[in-house]
Amino acid sequence: MRKLVKKITAIALSAVLIGAAFAGCSGGGNEGTTNGEPTDKTYTVGICQLVQHPALDAATEGFKAALTDKLGDKVTFEEQNAAGDSATCSTITNGFVADGVDLIMANATPALQAAAQSTTEIPVVATSVTDFATALDIADWTGTTGTNVTGASDLAPLAEQAAMIKELYPDAKTVGILYCSAEANSVYQANVVTTELEALGYTVKSFTAADTNDVASVAQTACDESDVIYIPTDNTIASATETIDPITSAANVPVIAGEEGICKGCGVATLSISYYSNGYKAGEMAAEILLNGTDPGTMEIAYVDPADLTKEYVADRATALGTTIPADYVAIDMSEE
């Protein structure tokens, strides 16, 4: 009888252990994936966007679309805008950490920097960031961060944009670069494009605004001292194009912009990326992390596909300035402006 009891006990214990093993493999009722597809788990993603303007808005929409395509109703978004203030970015990302979100999307460099300082555990996927090494102060850049951060770069084709200035304004002597000195990635772009423009024979001057309060006076000085103005992908300037446009228009100084949104606001031409596509790529990377557990530190930063670049121009401004636009440029639809 005692042997029989021992045998029954052993069988019961084996059943418990086997059941526990299966439960461990499945990850429980609210977790786990099957071939990269969500089961019963739901995800909360915190979105920190630096400021509202068309480029960043498009990137956020692309990001959300990609995750929704992959996860359907299994993902919810906590979306917050910092209204251009870096300190507010930190408040937002610290709040996401306190809430225990599954992933943070950082839209623009200050948002990325804030998120990286807020957490080393929660995955951070960034978009609308020009140079991740500069943003994160990584000296020995290998293409991956080695941390909880990855994302999609919006690095503009700076050499090609410099060549665009030469193509459209070959007789210009001085090019002024207008940007915000507080944005690390704008400083990076200004340094790179200065080298490219000087190689083309231009004199280059930098005109920097500390914030939107300085933009009008700095833009006026840039017009007074430049034949052409170049504006990189700068969030402060992008949010102040309504201030810049009447100043540059009155001075008859053309603006070549780093992206379409700035070009719509105050520019003549741009070689622009699609910020929606940039955000969508970041969203795909986020899905890979959430669904498959991929380590963001090992994921290479995604860069713009040259096939997605388009030479664009604003017809009314080109006409007003007497600028001849080559046939391979596409007119920007300004009907919504």
Side-chain angles (χ1 to χ4, degrees), residues 4-324:
L4 179 60
V5 170
K6 286 183 178 180
K7 186 173 182 181
I8 293 171
T9 301
I11 292 171
L13 179 61
S14 297
V16 169
L17 292 174
I18 292 170
F22 275 110
C25 291
S26 67
N30 196 41
E31 296 182 4
T33 62
T34 303
N35 296 323
E37 295 299 324
T39 54
D40 293 331
K41 182 169 174 57
T42 59
Y43 303 89
T44 301
V45 174
I47 296 176
C48 177
Q49 180 172 320
L50 173 63
V51 68
Q52 185 174 11
H53 65 68
L56 297 192
D57 292 348
T60 292
E61 289 307 309
F63 178 84
K64 291 165 63 179
L67 271 183
T68 302
D69 287 347
K70 297 289 185 179
L71 296 167
D73 61 2
K74 302 295 185 181
V75 61
T76 58
F77 301 100
E78 292 185 17
E79 189 172 348
Q80 297 192 42
N81 192 296
D85 184 64
S86 297
T88 302
C89 286
S90 295
T91 301
I92 292 169
T93 56
N94 285 336
F96 289 155
V97 174
D99 291 342
V101 299
D102 296 292
L103 183 141
I104 296 173
M105 187 276 249
N107 192 346
T109 299
L112 167 60
Q113 292 169 328
Q117 291 171 1
S118 293
T119 179
T120 59
E121 301 296 329
I122 297 173
V124 175
V125 178
T127 183
S128 311
V129 173
T130 302
D131 185 67
F132 279 73
T134 298
L136 299 173
D137 196 24
I138 299 175
D140 300 320
W141 182 246
T142 62
T144 60
T145 67
T147 67
N148 60 318
V149 174
T150 190
S153 167
D154 68 345
L155 179 61
L158 298 172
E160 290 84 350
Q161 289 181 347
M164 175 179 282
I165 295 175
K166 191 70 172 179
E167 179 179 44
L168 296 177
Y169 303 104
D171 297 328
K173 304 298 183 185
T174 302
V175 177
I177 305 177
L178 176 60
Y179 63 98
C180 176
S181 57
E183 296 193 28
N185 282 276
S186 297
V187 176
Y188 171 84
Q189 291 176 84
N191 290 338
V192 173
V193 83
T194 293
T195 301
E196 298 290 346
L197 289 167
E198 288 178 343
L200 293 173
Y202 290 110
T203 298
V204 182
K205 295 183 178 182
S206 290
F207 301 92
T208 61
D211 53 39
T212 53
N213 295 323
D214 295 339
V215 168
S217 60
V218 173
Q220 184 61 63
T221 303
C223 287
D224 294 341
E225 300 182 22
S226 310
D227 301 312
V228 180
I229 291 174
Y230 173 76
I231 299 176
T233 54
D234 182 291
N235 295 295
T236 300
I237 303 302
S239 63
T241 56
E242 290 183 358
T243 299
I244 297 168
D245 184 39
I247 296 170
T248 54
S249 295
N252 289 318
V253 175
V255 171
I256 302 300
E259 54 90 13
E260 184 184 90
I262 296 174
C263 192
K264 282 184 174 183
C266 64
V268 175
T270 184
L271 181 59
S272 183
I273 73 167
S274 164
Y275 272 83
Y276 182 91
S277 296
N278 194 250
Y280 196 94
K281 180 59 182 177
E284 291 179 323
M285 298 172 82
E288 177 71 18
I289 294 167
L290 293 174
L291 293 178
N292 298 326
T294 304
D295 178 2
T298 66
M299 298 176 73
E300 291 194 1
I301 300 303
Y303 290 92
V304 176
D305 184 343
D308 290 336
L309 298 172
T310 306
K311 285 184 174 181
E312 299 178 311
Y313 73 103
V314 175
D316 288 348
R317 292 197 188 100
T319 299
L321 289 163
T323 302
T324 300

